[in-house]
Amino acid sequence: MGEFLRAAFGFPTVLFTSALVVVIGFWLLVLLGGAESDTFDTDVDTDALYLGGVPVAVSASLVIALSWFAAFTGSVLLARTSLSGALLHLAGTALLICSVLFAWRLSSVIAGPLAKLFPDERGPSRQDFVGSTCTIRTGRVDGGFGQAEVVARDGSTAVVQVRQSGSDALALGSTGLLYAYHDAGEFFWVAPFDTALDPRA
C-alpha cells in the first residue's frame, strides 16, 4: 500500500492524479444528471489533435487516465532502481513527457472505434425547411401575415410563419414553396408552387 501511495502522489504521477480526481468528479456529475458529456465540445477542436469523433470530455478523460496509468507504472519501476537525486528527477521529467505522448497516441487509436458510439448528428434547424413545399393554413399570405404547414424529414409537421413579396394568390389549402428564411423576422419567404411541376409527384 505504501508503494502505491508513493507512486500515486509522487512526481510525476501526482500531476495526473489530481487531474484524474477532477475527471472522476465530472463523470459522477454526468451520471447524476448534473452535467452533459458534450459540455466542452464548443470550446476545443479535438480534430486537430487526432482525437475527433468523440466528445471532448471523453477524449480528455482517456488522455488523463492513460497518462496516469503510464506515469504510475513508470514511477513504480523507477522507485525500484538505484537512481537518486538529479538523475531521479531527470528520469521523472522524461517519464512525464513519455506518459503524455503514450496516452495521446493510444487515445487517438481508441477514439476511432469509440466515435461510432457518438454519431455527429446535427440538431433540427429551420433552414432544413428551405426548399420544401408547404400547405397554406391562412386565408391569405402577404408581406406581413401568413402561416403554412410543412412536413419535416422525420414525418412530423410544423406550422411556420410565411410571407411573400409579391401579390400572387396564396389562399387556404394552396401549395407554396419555402425558398428562403428571414432570420430577423423568423419567417419563411414563400412562393406559389404548382404540384404538376414537382418531379416527385
Side-chain angles (χ1 to χ4, degrees), residues 125-140:
S125 166
R126 292 179 182 176
Q127 295 290 345
D128 294 339
F129 290 134
V130 175
S132 301
T133 57
C134 62
T135 303
I136 304 302
R137 291 304 182 205
T138 52
R140 63 181 173 82

PDB file of all heavy atoms in Angstrom, residues 125-140:
ATOM      1  N   SER A 125     -32.998  22.203 -37.750  1.00  0.00           N
ATOM      2  CA  SER A 125     -32.877  23.640 -37.950  1.00  0.00           C
ATOM      3  C   SER A 125     -33.979  24.116 -38.878  1.00  0.00           C
ATOM      4  O   SER A 125     -34.460  23.365 -39.745  1.00  0.00           O
ATOM      5  CB  SER A 125     -31.512  23.967 -38.556  1.00  0.00           C
ATOM      6  OG  SER A 125     -31.471  25.278 -39.048  1.00  0.00           O
ATOM      7  N   ARG A 126     -34.380  25.356 -38.709  1.00  0.00           N
ATOM      8  CA  ARG A 126     -35.398  25.921 -39.601  1.00  0.00           C
ATOM      9  C   ARG A 126     -34.896  25.972 -41.029  1.00  0.00           C
ATOM     10  O   ARG A 126     -35.685  25.930 -41.976  1.00  0.00           O
ATOM     11  CB  ARG A 126     -35.792  27.323 -39.116  1.00  0.00           C
ATOM     12  CG  ARG A 126     -36.532  27.305 -37.789  1.00  0.00           C
ATOM     13  CD  ARG A 126     -36.882  28.703 -37.335  1.00  0.00           C
ATOM     14  NE  ARG A 126     -37.561  28.669 -36.040  1.00  0.00           N
ATOM     15  CZ  ARG A 126     -37.925  29.738 -35.361  1.00  0.00           C
ATOM     16  NH1 ARG A 126     -37.658  30.935 -35.839  1.00  0.00           N
ATOM     17  NH2 ARG A 126     -38.537  29.634 -34.214  1.00  0.00           N
ATOM     18  N   GLN A 127     -33.576  26.072 -41.196  1.00  0.00           N
ATOM     19  CA  GLN A 127     -33.001  26.092 -42.541  1.00  0.00           C
ATOM     20  C   GLN A 127     -33.278  24.790 -43.285  1.00  0.00           C
ATOM     21  O   GLN A 127     -33.240  24.757 -44.516  1.00  0.00           O
ATOM     22  CB  GLN A 127     -31.491  26.347 -42.467  1.00  0.00           C
ATOM     23  CG  GLN A 127     -31.101  27.715 -41.932  1.00  0.00           C
ATOM     24  CD  GLN A 127     -31.431  28.846 -42.877  1.00  0.00           C
ATOM     25  OE1 GLN A 127     -31.709  28.603 -44.062  1.00  0.00           O
ATOM     26  NE2 GLN A 127     -31.424  30.071 -42.395  1.00  0.00           N
ATOM     27  N   ASP A 128     -33.577  23.723 -42.540  1.00  0.00           N
ATOM     28  CA  ASP A 128     -33.883  22.439 -43.172  1.00  0.00           C
ATOM     29  C   ASP A 128     -35.150  22.513 -44.013  1.00  0.00           C
ATOM     30  O   ASP A 128     -35.352  21.708 -44.922  1.00  0.00           O
ATOM     31  CB  ASP A 128     -34.038  21.342 -42.115  1.00  0.00           C
ATOM     32  CG  ASP A 128     -32.735  21.054 -41.382  1.00  0.00           C
ATOM     33  OD1 ASP A 128     -31.664  21.376 -41.930  1.00  0.00           O
ATOM     34  OD2 ASP A 128     -32.787  20.515 -40.261  1.00  0.00           O
ATOM     35  N   PHE A 129     -36.008  23.467 -43.686  1.00  0.00           N
ATOM     36  CA  PHE A 129     -37.278  23.580 -44.409  1.00  0.00           C
ATOM     37  C   PHE A 129     -37.144  24.336 -45.732  1.00  0.00           C
ATOM     38  O   PHE A 129     -38.044  24.280 -46.562  1.00  0.00           O
ATOM     39  CB  PHE A 129     -38.334  24.275 -43.543  1.00  0.00           C
ATOM     40  CG  PHE A 129     -38.814  23.449 -42.377  1.00  0.00           C
ATOM     41  CD1 PHE A 129     -38.919  24.012 -41.113  1.00  0.00           C
ATOM     42  CD2 PHE A 129     -39.158  22.120 -42.532  1.00  0.00           C
ATOM     43  CE1 PHE A 129     -39.363  23.261 -40.035  1.00  0.00           C
ATOM     44  CE2 PHE A 129     -39.599  21.352 -41.468  1.00  0.00           C
ATOM     45  CZ  PHE A 129     -39.708  21.923 -40.212  1.00  0.00           C
ATOM     46  N   VAL A 130     -36.046  25.064 -45.905  1.00  0.00           N
ATOM     47  CA  VAL A 130     -35.857  25.816 -47.148  1.00  0.00           C
ATOM     48  C   VAL A 130     -35.784  24.847 -48.316  1.00  0.00           C
ATOM     49  O   VAL A 130     -35.017  23.889 -48.297  1.00  0.00           O
ATOM     50  CB  VAL A 130     -34.591  26.695 -47.079  1.00  0.00           C
ATOM     51  CG1 VAL A 130     -34.334  27.366 -48.425  1.00  0.00           C
ATOM     52  CG2 VAL A 130     -34.724  27.739 -45.984  1.00  0.00           C
ATOM     53  N   GLY A 131     -36.592  25.096 -49.341  1.00  0.00           N
ATOM     54  CA  GLY A 131     -36.671  24.198 -50.492  1.00  0.00           C
ATOM     55  C   GLY A 131     -37.817  23.208 -50.396  1.00  0.00           C
ATOM     56  O   GLY A 131     -38.067  22.455 -51.335  1.00  0.00           O
ATOM     57  N   SER A 132     -38.520  23.212 -49.265  1.00  0.00           N
ATOM     58  CA  SER A 132     -39.652  22.300 -49.075  1.00  0.00           C
ATOM     59  C   SER A 132     -40.949  22.960 -49.509  1.00  0.00           C
ATOM     60  O   SER A 132     -41.083  24.188 -49.506  1.00  0.00           O
ATOM     61  CB  SER A 132     -39.781  21.910 -47.596  1.00  0.00           C
ATOM     62  OG  SER A 132     -38.613  21.288 -47.135  1.00  0.00           O
ATOM     63  N   THR A 133     -41.893  22.122 -49.873  1.00  0.00           N
ATOM     64  CA  THR A 133     -43.231  22.644 -50.166  1.00  0.00           C
ATOM     65  C   THR A 133     -44.038  22.676 -48.879  1.00  0.00           C
ATOM     66  O   THR A 133     -43.730  21.967 -47.911  1.00  0.00           O
ATOM     67  CB  THR A 133     -43.946  21.765 -51.208  1.00  0.00           C
ATOM     68  OG1 THR A 133     -44.000  20.411 -50.722  1.00  0.00           O
ATOM     69  CG2 THR A 133     -43.215  21.784 -52.542  1.00  0.00           C
ATOM     70  N   CYS A 134     -45.053  23.530 -48.866  1.00  0.00           N
ATOM     71  CA  CYS A 134     -45.887  23.679 -47.683  1.00  0.00           C
ATOM     72  C   CYS A 134     -47.335  23.863 -48.093  1.00  0.00           C
ATOM     73  O   CYS A 134     -47.635  24.109 -49.262  1.00  0.00           O
ATOM     74  CB  CYS A 134     -45.426  24.883 -46.856  1.00  0.00           C
ATOM     75  SG  CYS A 134     -45.575  26.452 -47.737  1.00  0.00           S
ATOM     76  N   THR A 135     -48.214  23.736 -47.130  1.00  0.00           N
ATOM     77  CA  THR A 135     -49.637  23.955 -47.355  1.00  0.00           C
ATOM     78  C   THR A 135     -50.060  25.200 -46.583  1.00  0.00           C
ATOM     79  O   THR A 135     -49.857  25.271 -45.370  1.00  0.00           O
ATOM     80  CB  THR A 135     -50.468  22.746 -46.877  1.00  0.00           C
ATOM     81  OG1 THR A 135     -50.008  21.576 -47.551  1.00  0.00           O
ATOM     82  CG2 THR A 135     -51.942  22.954 -47.166  1.00  0.00           C
ATOM     83  N   ILE A 136     -50.605  26.164 -47.280  1.00  0.00           N
ATOM     84  CA  ILE A 136     -51.008  27.426 -46.655  1.00  0.00           C
ATOM     85  C   ILE A 136     -52.184  27.167 -45.706  1.00  0.00           C
ATOM     86  O   ILE A 136     -53.155  26.505 -46.070  1.00  0.00           O
ATOM     87  CB  ILE A 136     -51.407  28.471 -47.717  1.00  0.00           C
ATOM     88  CG1 ILE A 136     -50.258  28.685 -48.713  1.00  0.00           C
ATOM     89  CG2 ILE A 136     -51.802  29.779 -47.055  1.00  0.00           C
ATOM     90  CD1 ILE A 136     -48.959  29.142 -48.091  1.00  0.00           C
ATOM     91  N   ARG A 137     -52.089  27.683 -44.488  1.00  0.00           N
ATOM     92  CA  ARG A 137     -53.115  27.446 -43.469  1.00  0.00           C
ATOM     93  C   ARG A 137     -53.847  28.722 -43.055  1.00  0.00           C
ATOM     94  O   ARG A 137     -54.604  28.713 -42.093  1.00  0.00           O
ATOM     95  CB  ARG A 137     -52.486  26.804 -42.231  1.00  0.00           C
ATOM     96  CG  ARG A 137     -52.004  25.376 -42.463  1.00  0.00           C
ATOM     97  CD  ARG A 137     -53.102  24.496 -42.960  1.00  0.00           C
ATOM     98  NE  ARG A 137     -52.699  23.099 -43.150  1.00  0.00           N
ATOM     99  CZ  ARG A 137     -53.279  22.265 -43.988  1.00  0.00           C
ATOM    100  NH1 ARG A 137     -54.270  22.703 -44.767  1.00  0.00           N
ATOM    101  NH2 ARG A 137     -52.873  21.019 -44.096  1.00  0.00           N
ATOM    102  N   THR A 138     -53.634  29.806 -43.785  1.00  0.00           N
ATOM    103  CA  THR A 138     -54.374  31.044 -43.531  1.00  0.00           C
ATOM    104  C   THR A 138     -55.098  31.465 -44.805  1.00  0.00           C
ATOM    105  O   THR A 138     -54.762  31.002 -45.905  1.00  0.00           O
ATOM    106  CB  THR A 138     -53.426  32.170 -43.077  1.00  0.00           C
ATOM    107  OG1 THR A 138     -52.345  32.289 -44.002  1.00  0.00           O
ATOM    108  CG2 THR A 138     -52.870  31.891 -41.693  1.00  0.00           C
ATOM    109  N   GLY A 139     -56.073  32.356 -44.660  1.00  0.00           N
ATOM    110  CA  GLY A 139     -56.864  32.777 -45.821  1.00  0.00           C
ATOM    111  C   GLY A 139     -56.084  33.587 -46.832  1.00  0.00           C
ATOM    112  O   GLY A 139     -56.457  33.662 -47.996  1.00  0.00           O
ATOM    113  N   ARG A 140     -54.988  34.170 -46.407  1.00  0.00           N
ATOM    114  CA  ARG A 140     -54.149  34.953 -47.309  1.00  0.00           C
ATOM    115  C   ARG A 140     -52.707  34.943 -46.806  1.00  0.00           C
ATOM    116  O   ARG A 140     -52.453  34.637 -45.642  1.00  0.00           O
ATOM    117  CB  ARG A 140     -54.651  36.401 -47.391  1.00  0.00           C
ATOM    118  CG  ARG A 140     -54.581  37.119 -46.051  1.00  0.00           C
ATOM    119  CD  ARG A 140     -55.105  38.563 -46.127  1.00  0.00           C
ATOM    120  NE  ARG A 140     -55.174  39.163 -44.801  1.00  0.00           N
ATOM    121  CZ  ARG A 140     -54.147  39.711 -44.159  1.00  0.00           C
ATOM    122  NH1 ARG A 140     -52.966  39.735 -44.735  1.00  0.00           N
ATOM    123  NH2 ARG A 140     -54.298  40.235 -42.944  1.00  0.00           N
TER     124      ARG A 140
END
